[in-house]
């Protein structure tokens, strides 16, 4: 993976402002590569990191990272072939069983994930899933509400990375567990929307093991000159396909061994 | 459908199975065939296998997931009867030469320790009557040309039974969350697909309860010691010479199976 930056600082700031505006005011924009067909993955991450710099400057606190596009199903659904990462802030977190407003989202979708909370720093390159498990304090079930700011959820890897991996909201909850006491690869998951099962799978859908996705995330961070500090909250990627949600919908994600996470959506 | 016609189609399916060839869909030839007729044809087909020396060793439940029910336009599962000639044990290599157009499915199998006699059976009775559960592969096969089946075709064809393999990892359903247990299917060392117990009628135990009640209504016994394949938790996997499949049920264990030879189609 090359992280070469080809765009000028000016272009990066301009694209970042475009993404930030779309995120803040919840409107869809054309994918960035329409205007910059030569945009690289490095350019995408440069826009994302500029967005993080601006948000942190505005008082948002980064609490961790998310891995995205980590399952075959998601890669097919989105037409990309490499996973991505995005940053998570305190402003994106919503409590378990809360009412989540969709008024400030474009076209939200919910997906089930295993989340990790670390107790030791993880540094790439060469980070393995064994390193991740050794550095994990606990795992917990989570639902991520992704929201691409691109029209029709249609994008390429460069654009989605610039849009912070479609990060929007997330809900962690359920039961915290020690990953050394579980088979993290075979956890079954069911997502119900309004009482009906709408998505199902097992955790191996995420790069064959969710900790593998966290290791990949740490190795991408290394390419960006960063590491994963102790105490990070990391979402390892959707086990199930992402299901569209709208006001009035109630969602519950049930995980083998990890309990459940619920939320509802309002205007 | 009269008795002679039912016998005729049952015999035709038996001959097709014996000779490893396919026949045209029954529904194309008998547009008014009912589900009851189809089950009677199945009984005849299975009776011919029993007459030829096999014994009934259990049941299989099919059409348990919503996508498959939607595809076949039905709102309930179906069942077929397992016979002694279908049994493989883990570690065996399955000879595809004995099959016509096989596909594999990963499932949870139940082995009963007491009889289950419907009507009135619930999922709680199923757990109570279960000796153990094991991960398993069902290799489905169809005697109907190109798998062009409607529900009546597959029911008459003994719910598309081929052969099956039970894993060695026995578990007590009281110690396992059979509803939320994940299912991971690998083909030749690569992840193929994942699933979960709930994909089968909300829980595999619900499917077994449905079967007990359905068999009760038909007067078919459901005995201690029988094996019940509770329904697919995975995608259908085509298999060929040299393939190896592994399915793993979270909290329970794996079943591994190898294939050799060439199927008829």
């Amino acid at each position: 993976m090359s992280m070469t930056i080809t765009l000028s600082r000016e272009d990066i700031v301009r694209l970042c402002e475009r993404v930030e505006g779309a995120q803040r005011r919840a409107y869809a924009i054309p994918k960035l590569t329409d205007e910059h067909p030569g945009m690289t993955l490095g350019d995408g991450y440069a826009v994302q990191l500029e967005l993080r710099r601006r948000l942190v400057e505005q008082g948002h606190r980064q609490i961790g990272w998310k891995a995205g596009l980590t399952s075959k199903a998601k890669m097919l659904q989105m037409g990309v072939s490499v996973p991505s990462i995005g940053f998570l802030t305190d402003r994106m977190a919503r409590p378990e069983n809360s009412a989540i407003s969709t008024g400030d989202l474009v076209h939200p979708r919910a997906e089930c994930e295993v989340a990790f909370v670390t107790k030791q720093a993880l540094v790439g390159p060469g980070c393995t899933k064994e390193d991740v498990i050794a550095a994990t304090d606990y795992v917990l079930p989570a639902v991520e509400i992704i929201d691409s700011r691109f029209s029709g959820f249609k994008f390429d890897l460069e654009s989605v990375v610039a849009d912070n991996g479609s990060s929007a909201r997330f809900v962690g909850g359920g039961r915290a567990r020690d990953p050394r006491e579980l088979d993290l690869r075979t956890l079954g998951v069911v997502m119900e929307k309004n009482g009906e099962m709408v998505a199902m799978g097992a955790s191996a859908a995420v790069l064959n093991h969710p900790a593998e996705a966290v290791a990949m995330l740490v190795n991408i961070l290394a390419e960006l000159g960063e590491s994963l500090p102790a105490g990070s909250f990391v979402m390892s990627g959707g086990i199930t396909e992402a299901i569209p949600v709208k006001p009035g919908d109630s969602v519950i994600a049930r995980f083998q061994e990890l309990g459940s996470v619920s939320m509802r959506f309002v205007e | 459908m009269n008795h002679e016609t039912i016998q005729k189609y049952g015999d035709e399916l038996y001959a097709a199975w014996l000779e490893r060839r396919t026949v045209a869909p029954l529904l194309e030839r008998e547009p008014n065939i009912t589900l009851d007729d189809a089950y009677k044809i199945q009984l005849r087909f299975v009776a011919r296998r029993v007459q030829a020396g096999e014994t009934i060793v259990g049941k299989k439940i099919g059409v348990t997931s919503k996508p498959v029910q939607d595809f076949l336009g039905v709102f309930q599962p179906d069942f077929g009867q397992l016979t002694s000639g279908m049994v493989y044990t883990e570690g065996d290599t399955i000879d595809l030469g004995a099959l016509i157009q096989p596909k594999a499915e990963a499932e949870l199998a139940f082995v009963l320790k007491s009889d289950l006699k419907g009507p009135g059976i619930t999922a709680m009775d199923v757990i109570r009557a279960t000796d153990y559960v094991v991960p398993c592969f069902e290799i489905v096969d169809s005697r109907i040309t190109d798998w062009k089946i409607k529900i009546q075709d597959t029911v008459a064809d003994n719910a598309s039974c081929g052969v099956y393999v039970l894993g060695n990892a026995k578990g007590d359903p009281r110690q396992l969350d059979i509803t939320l247990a994940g299912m991971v299917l690998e083909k030749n060392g690569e992840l193929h697909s994942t699933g979960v117990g709930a994909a089968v009628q909300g829980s595999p135990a619900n499917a077994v309860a449905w079967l007990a009640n359905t068999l009760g209504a038909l007067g078919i016994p459901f005995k201690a010691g029988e094996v019940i394949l509770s329904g697919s938790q995975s995608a259908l996997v085509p298999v060929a010479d040299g393939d190896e499949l592994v399915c793993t049920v979270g909290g329970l264990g794996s079943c591994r199976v190898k294939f050799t030879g060439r199927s008829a189609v």
Side-chain angles (χ1 to χ4, degrees):
Chain A
M1 206 181 302
S2 160
M3 290 297 180
T4 314
I5 296 174
T6 66
L7 294 179
S8 67
R9 174 77 193 149
E10 235 170 47
D11 280 338
I12 288 167
V13 169
R14 199 170 44 79
L15 291 176
C16 177
E17 283 170 351
R18 193 183 299 173
V19 168
E20 191 188 357
Q23 290 191 2
R24 174 163 303 150
R25 289 185 289 280
Y27 56 78
I29 54 176
K31 62 183 197 292
L32 306 185
T33 43
D34 286 357
E35 186 190 330
H36 295 279
M39 196 175 152
T40 63
L41 191 58
D43 293 326
Y45 278 111
V47 174
Q48 181 187 128
L49 295 180
E50 173 63 11
L51 177 66
R52 180 182 63 170
R53 191 191 65 75
R54 292 165 73 105
L55 294 181
V56 168
E57 204 173 74
Q58 294 161 32
H60 299 218
R61 187 171 76 86
Q62 183 177 359
I63 61 167
W65 292 90
K66 62 158 272 183
L69 307 173
T70 46
S71 73
K72 225 199 287 186
K74 277 308 283 289
M75 287 187 203
L76 281 175
Q77 188 181 11
M78 293 301 152
V80 301
S81 56
V82 188
S84 65
I85 69 170
F87 63 86
L88 299 173
T89 72
D90 59 331
R91 309 284 175 98
M92 301 175 189
R94 294 292 179 273
E96 199 172 0
N97 202 33
S98 60
I100 298 175
S101 170
T102 60
D104 51 358
L105 300 172
V106 185
H107 34 210
R109 297 178 179 185
E111 59 187 32
C112 304
E113 311 197 6
V114 174
F116 292 68
V117 174
T118 61
K119 59 182 177 185
Q120 287 156 22
L122 280 164
V123 183
C127 179
T128 65
K129 76 170 189 290
E130 289 74 21
D131 297 334
V132 170
I133 289 171
T136 297
D137 187 355
Y138 62 93
V139 293
L140 70 163
V143 169
E144 181 178 16
I145 296 108
I146 55 170
D147 185 33
S148 175
R149 266 58 62 161
F150 299 117
S151 312
F153 244 99
K154 293 240 181 327
F155 52 68
D156 41 37
L157 189 61
E158 294 77 18
S159 297
V160 74
V161 163
D163 186 27
N164 195 22
S166 307
S167 299
R169 306 284 179 264
F170 63 85
V171 184
R175 185 174 167 202
R177 293 292 301 269
D178 184 333
R180 290 157 291 268
E181 291 172 359
L182 296 173
D183 180 358
L184 276 187
R185 190 171 166 268
T186 54
L187 298 174
V189 175
V190 175
M191 180 185 277
E192 294 177 10
K193 184 166 92 171
N194 305 326
E196 198 176 329
M197 294 190 293
V198 289
M200 286 170 269
S203 49
V206 176
L207 293 181
N208 207 32
H209 195 296
E212 198 69 67
V214 180
M216 176 221 64
L217 181 145
V218 170
N219 292 327
I220 293 179
L221 282 177
E223 293 189 58
L224 297 170
E226 301 205 16
S227 60
L228 188 70
S232 293
F233 173 80
V234 182
M235 285 195 294
S236 60
I239 296 166
T240 55
E241 63 189 298
I243 302 295
V245 289
K246 60 179 192 317
D249 284 342
S250 173
V251 167
I252 180 161
R254 302 157 64 199
F255 289 69
Q256 183 183 14
E257 304 287 352
L258 300 179
S260 60
V261 184
S262 64
M263 71 224 64
R264 62 201 162 87
F265 294 90
V266 296
E267 289 290 349
Chain B
M1 192 173 263
N2 65 37
H3 183 68
E4 283 71 35
T5 316
I6 283 165
Q7 303 275 82
K8 183 186 84 177
Y9 284 118
D11 291 345
E12 180 186 304
L13 286 164
Y14 173 73
W17 168 77
L18 198 62
E19 294 157 20
R20 319 275 179 252
R21 58 177 172 78
T22 60
V23 299
L26 275 49
L27 202 63
E28 277 181 11
R29 294 179 276 161
E30 299 280 347
N32 298 320
I33 191 170
T34 65
L35 205 51
D36 278 350
D37 296 331
Y39 275 113
K40 286 178 186 156
I41 295 169
Q42 176 191 123
L43 288 179
R44 174 65 180 180
F45 174 14
V46 174
R48 291 293 309 272
R49 288 185 66 158
V50 171
Q51 278 168 20
E54 293 187 59
T55 53
I56 305 284
V57 296
K59 309 283 185 288
K60 72 153 277 185
I61 310 169
V63 196
T64 48
S65 74
K66 193 160 184 304
V68 175
Q69 291 188 357
D70 288 348
F71 176 74
L72 289 173
V74 295
F75 304 98
Q76 61 172 12
D78 70 359
F79 73 88
Q81 305 194 62
L82 304 177
T83 58
S84 48
M86 302 176 184
V87 183
Y88 281 86
T89 41
E90 189 168 7
D92 289 347
T93 298
I94 292 180
D95 178 13
L96 294 172
L99 298 166
I100 304 166
Q101 38 187 352
K103 299 172 196 286
E105 301 177 335
E107 311 192 4
L108 188 69
F110 290 66
V111 177
L112 296 183
K113 62 181 174 187
S114 49
D115 297 356
L116 268 178
K117 192 166 173 8
I121 296 297
T122 66
M124 288 74 89
D125 298 311
V126 171
I127 302 296
R128 203 165 47 82
T130 299
D131 189 3
Y132 57 87
V133 292
V134 286
C136 77
F137 276 108
E138 181 185 2
I139 317 305
V140 294
D141 198 8
S142 182
R143 272 61 61 178
I144 306 294
T145 304
D146 298 333
W147 276 97
K148 280 196 181 136
I149 54 169
K150 296 281 190 284
I151 189 71
Q152 292 93 330
D153 296 304
T154 182
V155 165
D157 188 26
N158 197 18
S160 309
C161 278
V163 297
Y164 70 91
V165 193
L166 298 187
N168 294 325
K170 294 179 184 176
D172 184 338
R174 294 157 199 80
Q175 313 276 336
L176 178 71
D177 184 348
I178 58 172
T179 300
L180 291 179
M183 174 66 88
V184 177
L185 176 55
E186 290 154 283
K187 182 177 179 181
N188 302 328
E190 295 223 338
L191 181 70
H192 181 276
S193 55
T194 72
V196 62
V200 176
Q201 298 286 293
S203 168
N206 292 340
V208 178
W210 170 86
L211 179 63
N213 292 324
T214 304
L215 293 174
L218 296 170
I220 300 173
F222 201 15
K223 296 288 195 189
E226 284 199 38
V227 172
I228 304 116
L229 312 186
S230 62
S232 180
Q233 299 183 16
S234 70
L236 276 170
V237 193
V239 286
D241 189 20
D243 282 343
E244 183 179 33
L245 300 181
V246 182
C247 71
T248 307
V249 175
L252 180 60
S254 301
C255 178
R256 181 180 296 268
V257 61
K258 283 184 183 169
F259 298 90
T260 186
R262 285 174 62 101
S263 56
V265 174

